Amino acid sequence: MMRSVNSLTPRLRNAAKLAPLSNQRTYIHTTKVLSDSSRRTPLTLNEEESMFQDQVKKFAAEKIAPYVKEMDRDSQMRPEIISGLFEQGLMGIEIPDKFGGSGSSFVSACVVVEEIAKVDASVAVCVDVQNTLVNNAINNWGSDHIKEKIFPLLAQKSVGSFCLSESGSGSDAFALKTKAEAKGDYFVLNGSKCWITNAGEADVFLVMANVDFSLGYKGITAFIVEKSNPGLSLGKKEDKLGIRASSTREVILTDCQVHKSMVLGKVGDGYKIAIQTLNEGRIGIAAQMIGVAQGAYDFALQYMHTRQQFGKRIADFQGMQFQYAQAATEIEAARLLVYNAARLKQDKLPFVTQAAMAKLYSSQVANKVAGQCVEWLGGVGYTKDFLAEKYFRDAKIGQIYEGTSNIQLLTIAKAMSSRYN
């Protein structure tokens, strides 16, 4: 059931002032309006989701876009942008109202990630990890104590980070070596995590460690570790190809004490928590990728409709028209996959295969379209004076993090094979 604007949180009611709110559901990217407001398909957004879309589009254009090149060059996200994300209610989208969150939905989170990624994929992944990984895991597995202590922070001021990968455990994530040893009322964590998104800005870390290696993956346990915990420090900052403004760092745990009340779920639940959370999170990454694809496409098409060669606009050559028509179709197909998976997840229906398909295909489309956009711009597309090359660099990570494309293919293949066995 849709909530009225008056029933939304004060933060969202204020955000509604940023853009007019339609009483009808609209297509995600086209302008066609459905007259039957009771219909609900993956193509449509409800009133609240549309409000998020309008709010974020305005915020991204005014507060993020002017600094995209600077942040990419300096590999640093501006603190005022992070503060703005909290002020807009975009860092606690599914956190309940009572904890200071927006009390909205998973689909809304995907809408937000897509809209921001059209402008900057780095800011988009910051929002994505916060909402679809950290907040989601706590929503699904957190005790009342953890929610009451951590949710107000994550909703209002603290960036979260998801710490699973290690130097020796990438796709084989559960070969992790970080150890957790019980000592009285505490666990003492020792080890290091690599490639950790948001680590540079984070105050809250969701850390996976093994309490008993003899149990294999059944010993893996999830811990909520605050930056203030003794023994937590940051290591190397990665110098990346793309999403450069997103901090990606090593997280080092040296005799790091974590109270037993900060275990997420039960001891030994870490494997289930990680699998479930990543299955959900990869839909968010898929949303990021369609945002990157759409952002690159919009940038290139604007150029092609002004740039002239041989006495006509580049966009008017039939050979070019065939290419950008095909690209538009592939972006829309990817969008359908993403929002179908998001709706399934939100409605508590089976979604794992659809999530894998969405991430696989959206990342393929983002890489293909972003590459084409560089070519469509010609020589200037290869320079840093134009944003096409940044979209191209940002797209590549979609085929790597939160499950590589080959991992997605394995997931899909197992699902398909099971139907015929």
Side-chain angles (χ1 to χ4, degrees):
M1 178 181 293
M2 289 196 307
R3 297 190 294 172
S4 69
V5 176
N6 288 334
S7 71
L8 301 176
T9 63
R11 184 176 293 173
L12 285 180
R13 287 200 297 272
N14 290 334
K17 299 175 183 177
L18 292 174
L21 187 61
S22 170
N23 289 323
Q24 295 173 302
R25 297 178 178 184
T26 58
Y27 279 104
I28 289 169
H29 191 65
T30 65
T31 57
K32 182 177 179 181
V33 177
L34 295 180
S35 59
D36 180 2
S37 62
S38 66
R39 285 186 62 192
R40 183 168 177 173
T41 73
L43 273 171
T44 59
L45 299 180
N46 65 30
E47 186 178 45
E48 185 173 313
E49 293 157 1
S50 294
M51 185 185 69
F52 265 115
Q53 186 182 52
D54 292 339
Q55 168 197 351
V56 174
K57 186 177 296 184
K58 182 177 176 63
F59 174 78
E62 294 181 357
K63 304 299 183 182
I64 300 175
Y67 304 106
V68 168
K69 287 185 179 180
E70 171 195 312
M71 294 192 299
D72 180 66
R73 181 196 67 214
D74 297 342
S75 296
Q76 184 69 47
M77 197 173 299
R78 291 176 71 98
E80 62 267 31
I81 288 179
I82 297 175
S83 299
L85 294 171
F86 282 106
E87 291 167 3
Q88 294 292 315
L90 304 180
M91 297 296 270
I93 295 170
E94 292 185 83
I95 293 178
D97 302 356
K98 65 180 180 180
F99 298 119
S102 296
S104 190
S105 67
F106 184 78
V107 172
S108 291
C110 291
V111 169
V112 168
V113 170
E114 180 189 354
E115 285 301 318
I116 295 176
K118 291 175 184 178
V119 175
D120 186 39
S122 295
V123 180
V125 76
C126 175
V127 173
D128 176 61
V129 167
Q130 179 93 354
N131 285 285
T132 71
L133 294 185
V134 180
N135 295 349
N136 243 350
I138 295 174
N139 240 338
N140 293 331
W141 296 88
S143 64
D144 289 343
H145 169 73
I146 287 177
K147 290 178 180 178
E148 290 168 2
K149 180 177 181 179
I150 300 299
F151 265 166
L153 300 177
L154 292 172
Q156 298 172 17
K157 65 177 183 179
S158 295
V159 175
S161 197
F162 186 83
C163 306
L164 175 62
S165 297
E166 299 180 4
S167 60
S169 57
S171 292
D172 185 13
F174 302 110
L176 61 84
K177 299 300 182 185
T178 299
K179 179 180 180 180
E181 183 180 1
K183 291 188 177 182
D185 292 333
Y186 292 85
F187 280 95
V188 178
L189 277 57
N190 282 281
S192 63
K193 300 291 182 178
C194 297
W195 309 102
I196 305 304
T197 301
N198 289 353
E201 296 83 18
D203 293 311
V204 176
F205 298 80
L206 198 166
V207 178
M208 299 292 175
N210 202 316
V211 300
D212 186 348
F213 288 101
S214 69
L215 298 176
Y217 70 86
K218 294 183 179 179
I220 296 173
T221 302
F223 300 88
I224 301 296
V225 186
E226 295 181 75
K227 188 176 183 179
S228 58
N229 281 50
L232 186 146
S233 62
L234 300 180
K236 177 187 176 184
K237 178 181 179 180
E238 302 296 340
D239 186 9
K240 306 187 301 293
L241 171 72
I243 57 166
R244 290 179 57 80
S246 168
S247 68
T248 306
R249 298 189 65 168
E250 182 183 16
V251 175
I252 302 168
L253 303 149
T254 306
D255 292 331
C256 181
Q257 292 190 349
V258 183
H259 196 272
K260 289 183 176 180
S261 64
M262 301 306 286
V263 170
L264 191 63
K266 299 177 182 178
V267 172
D269 280 346
Y271 172 80
K272 292 186 289 185
I273 293 171
I275 289 292
Q276 177 182 324
T277 303
L278 289 172
N279 283 335
E280 297 170 350
R282 60 184 46 127
I283 303 173
I285 295 301
Q288 181 201 26
M289 288 296 106
I290 56 175
V292 170
Q294 190 67 61
Y297 185 88
D298 292 343
F299 184 85
L301 265 289
Q302 290 171 15
Y303 178 86
M304 291 163 64
H305 278 82
T306 57
R307 170 73 167 169
Q308 292 194 359
Q309 289 287 276
F310 304 103
K312 62 192 297 187
R313 298 181 307 176
I314 293 174
D316 293 331
F317 287 94
Q318 188 181 62
M320 297 305 299
Q321 290 174 332
F322 289 168
Q323 292 182 54
Y324 65 74
Q326 181 67 37
T329 303
E330 291 173 357
I331 293 170
E332 190 69 5
R335 184 175 284 113
L336 288 172
L337 282 171
V338 172
Y339 284 96
N340 180 59
R343 291 285 188 213
L344 290 172
K345 184 271 172 189
Q346 182 170 292
D347 293 341
K348 302 186 186 304
L349 296 170
F351 70 91
V352 173
T353 303
Q354 288 77 11
M357 290 176 172
K359 183 178 184 294
L360 173 71
Y361 188 66
S362 64
S363 63
Q364 290 173 340
V365 168
N367 276 268
K368 178 182 177 181
V369 171
Q372 286 179 305
C373 289
V374 172
E375 296 175 18
W376 293 343
L377 267 65
V380 297
Y382 201 66
T383 70
K384 289 187 178 293
D385 291 334
F386 287 72
L387 285 172
E389 62 84 31
K390 179 184 181 296
Y391 285 112
F392 181 61
R393 289 185 286 109
D394 287 345
K396 193 62 194 175
I397 191 62
Q399 295 178 317
I400 300 171
Y401 62 6
E402 293 197 33
T404 66
S405 290
N406 281 338
I407 292 296
Q408 307 314 313
L409 288 167
L410 281 173
T411 299
I412 297 164
K414 288 178 182 178
M416 296 303 103
S417 181
S418 68
R419 297 181 183 181
Y420 297 93
N421 284 333

